[in-house]
Structure formats: structure tokens, C-alpha cells
């Protein structure tokens, strides 16, 4: 009976196919604000990737600047300049794997450890119940 209970606890939902997700950045909107929350209008924005300046522009009346990348980039840095003010924002756009790969022997060992732990807890419970 305990073995059947352990098997039922060890069952996990499974799927037939692995599914992965990714993303693509079509545009990035940055907003420059002063300390008091006022939009930084007409501020120069410099866009860098890999340490190189790839584009320069000016913020609109709401302090916003929209950057539309023409190619895939791994990192972006936005630097804003105004008289006496400077701000910098860095983004890491490199796609990373959503799930780490664990070897089969390691998964089997962790599953066995889980089952032995549950069995040990069951034995402790049963021995206390008999007393």
C-alpha cells in the first residue's frame, strides 16, 4: 500500500513535445525624467551597442525616445545628456535558455533521493503511530 501511495505521489504531468519561447525586440521606448518627475524634453539620447554609438536622437515633449533596431543586438545602452544632467540605462537582450539541462543520471539520483526521503518520513510517522 505504501508503495502504491509513493508511486501516486511521484507521478508528474508530462507533455509529448518540448516547447520553447523567445522574444524579438522591434522597438524600445525610453523615457527621460528629471528628479521631480518632469519629462526631460529635447534631451539628446545616444544609443550604444558593443561600446559603439549606433544612433543619436532627441526626446519628445513627454521625454520619450523610441529606438527601432535595424539588426539583432545582444546589448543596448542609452545615455541621455542635458545641461548638468546625465543618465544611463543598459539592457541585456541576449536570449538565454529558459530551462537548464540536467543529465539523466543526475535526474535519476535526485528522484531516488526524493523517494527515499518520502519513505523515511513515512517510516517515522508509522513508528510514532505504533507508540
Amino acid at each position: 500500500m505504501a508503495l502504491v501511495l509513493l508511486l501516486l505521489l511521484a507521478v508528474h504531468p508530462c507533455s509529448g513535445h518540448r516547447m520553447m519561447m523567445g522574444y524579438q525586440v522591434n522597438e524600445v521606448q525610453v523615457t527621460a525624467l528629471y528628479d521631480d518627475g518632469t519629462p526631460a524634453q529635447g534631451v539628446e539620447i545616444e544609443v550604444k551597442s558593443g561600446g559603439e554609438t549606433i544612433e543619436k536622437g532627441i526626446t519628445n515633449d513627454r521625454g520619450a525616445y523610441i529606438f527601432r533596431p535595424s539588426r539583432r543586438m545582444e546589448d543596448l545602452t542609452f545615455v541621455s545628456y542635458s545641461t548638468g544632467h546625465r543618465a544611463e540605462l543598459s539592457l541585456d537582450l541576449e536570449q538565454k535558455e529558459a530551462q537548464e539541462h540536467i543529465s539523466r543520471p543526475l535526474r535519476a539520483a535526485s528522484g531516488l533521493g526524493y523517494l527515499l526521503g518520502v519513505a523515511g518520513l513515512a517510516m517515522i510517522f508509522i513508528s510514532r503511530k505504533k507508540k
Side-chain angles (χ1 to χ4, degrees), residues 6 10 105-121:
L6 287 175
L106 187 58
R107 281 190 291 184
S110 64
L112 181 61
Y114 174 76
L115 290 175
L116 289 174
V118 170
L121 289 173

Side-chain angles (χ1 to χ4, degrees), residues 88-101:
E88 188 171 316
L89 171 70
S90 296
L91 302 175
D92 182 14
L93 302 175
E94 186 176 293
Q95 291 185 356
K96 307 223 187 275
E97 286 192 36
Q99 194 177 40
E100 292 182 24
H101 294 286

Side-chain angles (χ1 to χ4, degrees), residues 51-121:
E52 296 179 18
T53 300
I54 56 174
E55 186 172 304
K56 288 185 179 183
I58 305 290
T59 59
N60 63 15
D61 60 341
R62 292 174 295 164
Y65 175 74
I66 297 175
F67 171 67
R68 291 178 179 87
S70 58
R71 60 183 169 84
R72 185 180 181 278
M73 293 173 220
E74 293 180 2
D75 67 326
L76 284 174
T77 302
F78 297 91
V79 183
S80 65
Y81 299 101
S82 179
T83 309
H85 299 88
R86 183 179 188 279
E88 188 171 316
L89 171 70
S90 296
L91 302 175
D92 182 14
L93 302 175
E94 186 176 293
Q95 291 185 356
K96 307 223 187 275
E97 286 192 36
Q99 194 177 40
E100 292 182 24
H101 294 286
I102 300 174
S103 65
R104 285 182 191 253
L106 187 58
R107 281 190 291 184
S110 64
L112 181 61
Y114 174 76
L115 290 175
L116 289 174
V118 170
L121 289 173

